[in-house]
Amino acid sequence: MNKLPVLKILLIDVDTSNVSFADCIKFIDSKKEVLSDYISTLFKPVSDFINEKRFFEQFLKLDPTEYALEFDPKGKRTLDEYRSQINDCNKILQIVQNEMNTKYDDGLFRISCVDFKQKASEHLNSLIYSFLSRVKKFAVESIEEINNEFDNITEHLKKTPQTPEELGELVQYIKQIHSTEKVRSEKISKSSQRFSFLDQYQFETTNEEV
């Protein structure tokens, strides 16, 4: 039988010239727990560091565009709900930018966080931008809807009744306008609140949109 090579490392020192391969495997198996404990201890600072920053995951795993869409697909969310989401993002952003170091030295390990800080900041800013863009979308849509309603009302009222039937239809139309005035006022108020909300975050809007 061919002689096995001599293995000499820090934790295992076995002269295999006088033992079989099976004996080597058996010996290594007996040291597995020691090796496992040693490696766990060696990497504990890194594991602790990762676990301490684990709460970042709930935000960093989100797709900015898809999450904002799923959060409010039809514009039914309140501005307070949007504010809560944005504030949560800003809290994490504050930690990443101002409280997290660019590097950490812990025993054998030196952890660089430069790239993480940059990419995490970009991701969180993208989330905030997506929320604000969603608010802007619904605000602009409301304004456009209101403008179209007023244009239709104006065009309808320009028509001169030619018959008693047409006059009766016009009277009913005017009554309908008055009965739905509160709905239009609420739309205008809600759109105005959305634009004010965007102003609070200095989110860009054009004069045409407002």
Side-chain angles (χ1 to χ4, degrees):
M1 183 177 70
N2 293 331
K3 290 184 178 181
L4 293 174
V6 176
L7 300 178
K8 289 186 178 181
I9 60 176
L10 181 62
L11 298 177
I12 301 175
D13 186 1
V14 183
D15 184 354
T16 58
S17 61
N18 297 318
V19 296
S20 67
F21 186 75
D23 291 333
C24 291
I25 297 299
K26 185 177 180 180
F27 180 80
I28 292 172
D29 284 340
S30 69
K31 298 298 181 180
K32 276 184 177 180
E33 187 175 347
V34 176
L35 286 169
S36 178
D37 290 343
Y38 178 79
I39 292 173
S40 296
T41 302
L42 185 66
F43 282 88
K44 188 176 185 303
V46 177
S47 298
D48 290 345
F49 176 83
I50 293 173
N51 289 332
E52 288 172 3
K53 307 296 185 289
R54 188 75 68 183
F55 64 93
F56 289 151
E57 286 183 4
Q58 61 179 308
F59 293 94
L60 300 182
K61 69 182 180 181
L62 300 175
D63 179 276
T65 302
E66 289 183 5
Y67 182 71
L69 177 60
E70 293 171 0
F71 172 75
D72 191 11
K74 296 183 178 180
K76 302 298 183 182
R77 294 279 193 169
T78 66
L79 292 178
D80 283 340
E81 288 176 301
Y82 272 99
R83 184 176 287 105
S84 177
Q85 291 287 326
I86 292 172
N87 286 346
D88 286 344
C89 289
N90 274 325
K91 287 177 184 176
I92 302 300
L93 185 62
Q94 170 76 14
I95 294 172
V96 170
Q97 292 183 335
N98 300 321
E99 297 181 22
M100 192 174 190
N101 297 333
T102 55
K103 66 178 181 178
Y104 292 85
D105 292 333
D106 198 332
L108 296 175
F109 299 98
R110 289 176 175 80
I111 304 172
S112 174
C113 299
V114 176
D115 287 343
F116 176 84
K117 284 169 65 72
Q118 178 184 346
K119 292 177 181 178
S121 296
E122 291 173 355
H123 186 84
L124 290 163
N125 279 319
S126 293
L127 271 171
I128 295 171
Y129 181 87
S130 292
F131 283 125
L132 293 174
S133 294
R134 201 78 185 147
V135 174
K136 179 180 176 180
K137 174 184 181 297
F138 293 126
V140 172
E141 285 180 352
S142 294
I143 290 294
E144 291 175 346
E145 183 181 350
I146 293 165
N147 285 337
N148 289 335
E149 287 186 27
F150 278 117
D151 288 343
N152 290 333
I153 291 172
T154 301
E155 288 299 317
H156 208 102
L157 295 178
K158 283 181 180 178
K159 298 177 182 177
T160 303
Q162 301 297 321
T163 65
E165 290 77 11
E166 290 180 355
L167 179 59
E169 290 176 0
L170 180 59
V171 171
Q172 291 301 317
Y173 182 72
I174 292 173
K175 289 181 179 179
Q176 181 184 350
I177 292 173
H178 286 302
S179 66
T180 57
E181 183 176 351
K182 183 178 179 181
V183 175
R184 285 188 295 276
S185 296
E186 289 175 351
K187 287 181 181 178
I188 293 172
S189 175
K190 194 167 186 177
S191 181
S192 177
Q193 290 171 10
R194 282 170 170 159
F195 280 116
S196 295
F197 181 86
L198 295 173
D199 285 341
Q200 292 173 20
Y201 291 95
Q202 300 180 336
F203 193 76
E204 183 178 358
T205 55
T206 64
N207 292 331
E208 289 78 12
E209 289 169 336
V210 178

